[in-house]
Structures are given as structure tokens and as C-alpha cells.
Amino acid sequence: MQAVGRMMKVFVTRRIPQEGMKILSSSGVTEVCQWDSDEPVPRAELLTGVHGAHGLLCLLSDKIDAEVLDTAGPNLKVISTLSVGFDHMALDEIKKRGIRVGYTPDVLTDATAELTLALLLATARRIPEGVEEVKNGGWSSWKPLWLCGYGLSGSTVGIIGLGRIGLAIARRLLPFGVKRLLYSGRTVKSNAAEVNGEFVSLDALVSESDFIVVSCSLTPETQGLCDKTFFNKMKNTAIFVNISRGAVVNQEDLYEALKSGQIAAAGLDVTTPEPLPTNHPLLTLKNCVVIPHLGSATYSTRGEMSALAARNLLGGLQGTDMPSELTA
Ligand code: NDP
Ligand code: DGY
């Protein structure tokens, strides 16, 4: 671990873009300890690092539970996560202790929406399969029936969770000539009109969509939402895309649906666990495109996330406004 600066102790659980580290080190109020590695902090090092800390800057791969909070002790004023998702944190335990929480909404919305479109198109138009055929000599000629997929033009797309990212995905889909844009969630969205979004029941969305995109948050209600019953209602020609969290999907049921031809294909940016073991059954399927949680992975977005996470941390340490405080 590296120690820099002094005063209030802050533990940073990973090597993060310099933007955030510079903000912390130039603040003059923090003594920064860091797990200075690209790989996740081992649990024992997390517990050692957080001990006595006033601030914790963590990642979505760190489980922040009662044990971490108890080990940190009463100094801990603020937890700032380098993510918009906060399902890795025990919010009830955190709130009970009066600890403030920062997260990184908005700055990653465009990058994640872009990646979703890339994944959807790659899956529907079978791009990874095509690349593989070029490399392995399977490309013998232009063939009328070979490697055909599904297009967005004239299609019905269903978005589960029309939040910041869901709306940004919808905006990008419309120019492809999507005919109907359905969405489901807990509440009707006033800004859905901008994308001609129709609020429908989950059942209607699942059975009527040619493409389903999952962009909701992971909560007890959404955990395992996409299961056998869900996939059985989908069209045989439909494409399923998940950029939310792996746990929204029952992966055994998804495997069966893909293998049996119940649904056409799936594109997953998120899985359970992460990383997905290389011998996982889903990776044996040609109609399943799995990428390693790349939604926000552009240089500039990760830099902005890092800076925002650092500013959130400083706000919490100093008892001032945090640019993005999680208040719900
Ligand atoms: P928002 O809070 O803006 O959106 C979350 C949406 O989830 C809301 O529209 C909410 O709808 C919806 N939702 C909540 N519960 C349900 C439910 N039971 N059924 C259907 N929808 C529901 O968050 P963001 O758009 O900024 O981010 C969404 C999620 O995307 C994050 O929580 C994270 O897990 C994931 N993410 C993944 C990334 C990646 O790299 N793959 C990158 C960034 C985020 P309502 O308002 O009606 O409750
Ligand atoms: C998040 O922020 O929740 C994403 O999953 C990673 O950017």
C-alpha cells in the first residue's frame, strides 16, 4: 500500500485514473492509502486499509457490508463509490451509522448507452461469429443464407428501466428506424415522450419486443427477474441484452433459452460472477456474446468518474455538499 499526504485518512481500494488521485492529493486534507493495483483488493487488505479511515473510495467489486463498517470504526464519515450502481453496498447498515454515500451518475451515461448499442448490434448481426469465421477459414463465399441476423429497422424494442441510461439508449435507438419503443419500470417517466416511449407491463414488453434491453438497477425486486418464465414469453426471434447487473438474470434459464432456440441471441456486458469462468456453459454458445463489463470504459468517462468520486469523498470528509450524493 502507498501512503501520500496527511490529516484525514482515506482508503482507495484500487488504482484509479489520475484525475481523482490528483484531486485527493492536492486537497491538503487527506492522507491517502491505496491498494495500488489493477486487481481487486483482497478482503483482508480491505479490512486492514479501512481500519480507522475517515473516507473510503471503493469500487463495484468491493462488498461494503457491516464487517467493513465495523472494522472502519466511528471515524468513517463517507463512502464514495466509483460507479453509479450501488448494489454492492449495504445501504441500511451505512445509513444506520450516519455515513454519507457518493456515486457517479450522469458522467457515464453516454458511454454506457453507446456500448449498449454496440453490443446489441454485435449480437443481432452476429459480428463476433463473423470475425471468427474470417479467421478460421469458414468464409468460403458470399452466401445468401449465411450468418443472417436481425435488424432494428421497423422493430419493437423494450427497455426494462428507462432511467438515465435507459433513456440515453432509447435516444440512440430511434435513428435506426425503431417502430415502437416500450418500457417498463416502477413509474411512468415524464421524459419518455421524447423517445415516443410507451409504458407497458413487463409481460407486454417481454412478449411484444424484438429486442429487450435491461438497464434497470439491481434491487431485491429485479434480482432474478429474467428467468425461465420471462424467456418463455419472448419471441423465438428476439434478442436479449443486459447491461445492468448479472444478478438480474437467471443464467441457467438463459442458457436453456439460448440452447433450445427459445430466444435468438443474447448480449451480456454483465454476468454472475464477474469474471465469468472461462468454462461457463454460456461461453460455449455461438448465440451468446459476453463482454467484460465495459459499459463505462472510455478513457474520458473513467477520468470523469474518478474526479467525481474524489470530489464526493472530499465533500463528505469536509461536511460540505457532495456533487453526487446518494440520498435515497
Ligand atoms: P437510474 O437510477 O437512472 O435508472 C435505474 C432504472 O431502474 C430506473 O428507471 C428505475 O425505474 C428502474 N427500476 C428500478 N426498479 C425496477 C423494477 N423493479 N423494474 C424495472 N425497472 C426498475 O440509473 P442509471 O440509468 O444511471 O443506471 C442503471 C444501472 O445500470 C445501474 O444501477 C447499474 O447497475 C447499471 N450500469 C451498468 C454499467 C455497465 O458498465 N454495464 C454502467 C453504468 C450503470 P423507476 O424510476 O421507475 O424505479
Ligand atoms: C456502474 O457504474 O455501476 C458500472 O457498472 C460501471 O461503470
Side-chain angles (χ1 to χ4, degrees):
M1 276 179 222
Q2 253 180 17
V4 199
R6 54 182 178 280
M7 294 171 77
M8 281 187 275
K9 179 183 168 183
V10 160
F11 184 55
V12 179
T13 65
R14 192 79 70 90
R15 187 176 298 153
I16 61 170
Q18 277 312 305
E19 284 89 334
M21 294 310 286
K22 280 185 191 149
I23 290 169
L24 291 182
S25 57
S26 63
S27 70
V29 297
T30 58
E31 171 193 309
V32 181
C33 295
Q34 182 181 21
W35 179 253
D36 190 16
S37 165
D38 283 334
E39 299 305 322
V41 62
R43 182 78 179 175
E45 296 289 348
L46 170 61
L47 295 175
T48 305
V50 82
H51 183 73
H54 299 87
L56 174 64
L57 197 158
C58 67
L59 270 64
L60 56 88
S61 48
D62 304 317
K63 190 172 180 222
I64 307 302
D65 55 12
E67 185 188 23
V68 171
L69 303 172
D70 289 343
T71 307
N75 282 348
L76 192 62
K77 289 179 180 352
V78 55
I79 301 173
S80 171
T81 184
L82 188 86
S83 61
V84 67
F86 45 83
D87 48 279
H88 53 298
M89 303 195 286
L91 285 189
D92 48 346
E93 296 288 338
I94 293 172
K95 295 289 165 192
K96 225 194 293 182
R97 291 162 174 81
I99 298 166
R100 295 170 74 188
V101 175
Y103 70 142
T104 63
D106 303 314
V107 294
L108 46 58
T109 295
D110 286 347
T112 307
E114 266 177 29
L115 188 282
T116 306
L117 267 284
L119 178 59
L120 185 150
L121 290 169
T123 305
R125 298 301 303 273
R126 305 174 64 175
I127 290 175
E129 263 184 275
V131 170
E132 190 52 35
E133 293 293 342
V134 172
K135 289 183 183 168
N136 69 20
W139 182 18
S140 59
S141 163
W142 186 91
K143 293 181 265 189
L145 300 177
W146 191 50
L147 283 181
C148 293
Y150 297 92
L152 278 166
S153 181
S155 70
T156 296
V157 178
I159 299 185
I160 299 178
L162 196 75
R164 288 172 290 253
I165 295 171
L167 186 67
I169 294 167
R171 284 195 194 111
R172 285 158 175 78
L173 282 167
L174 287 187
F176 283 89
V178 166
K179 192 166 150 205
R180 288 181 74 203
L181 202 136
L182 315 179
Y183 73 98
S184 69
R186 289 176 297 193
T187 51
V188 176
K189 299 292 175 195
S190 55
N191 47 10
E194 182 202 327
V195 290
N196 304 322
E198 301 170 41
F199 185 69
V200 295
S201 68
L202 183 66
D203 269 7
L205 183 148
V206 173
S207 58
E208 292 174 27
S209 297
D210 301 303
F211 297 85
I212 294 177
V213 178
V214 184
S215 54
C216 59
S217 32
L218 173 61
T219 67
E221 293 77 46
T222 60
Q223 178 143 12
L225 182 77
C226 308
D227 60 4
K228 188 176 174 157
T229 313
F230 178 105
F231 295 121
N232 281 347
K233 288 180 193 148
M234 281 177 66
K235 297 181 186 178
N236 298 147
T237 51
I239 308 287
F240 176 81
V241 173
N242 183 21
I243 61 92
S244 153
R245 285 290 184 264
V248 174
V249 176
N250 179 317
Q251 288 178 175
E252 287 72 34
D253 292 350
L254 174 61
Y255 174 82
E256 289 306 327
L258 288 166
K259 179 88 180 158
S260 65
Q262 172 61 43
I263 70 171
L268 309 176
D269 185 39
V270 287
T271 60
T272 310
E274 292 184 6
L276 196 63
T278 52
N279 64 354
H280 194 281
L282 281 173
L283 299 180
T284 64
L285 300 174
K286 284 189 173 173
N287 58 348
C288 189
V289 178
V290 183
I291 54 173
H293 205 146
L294 296 176
S296 62
T298 70
Y299 293 111
S300 63
T301 298
R302 289 285 165 81
E304 286 184 64
M305 289 167 69
S306 181
L308 179 54
R311 290 198 186 98
N312 282 337
L313 194 76
L314 286 180
L317 287 173
Q318 295 171 317
T320 58
D321 279 353
M322 294 162 69
S324 292
E325 180 165 10
L326 185 64
T327 48

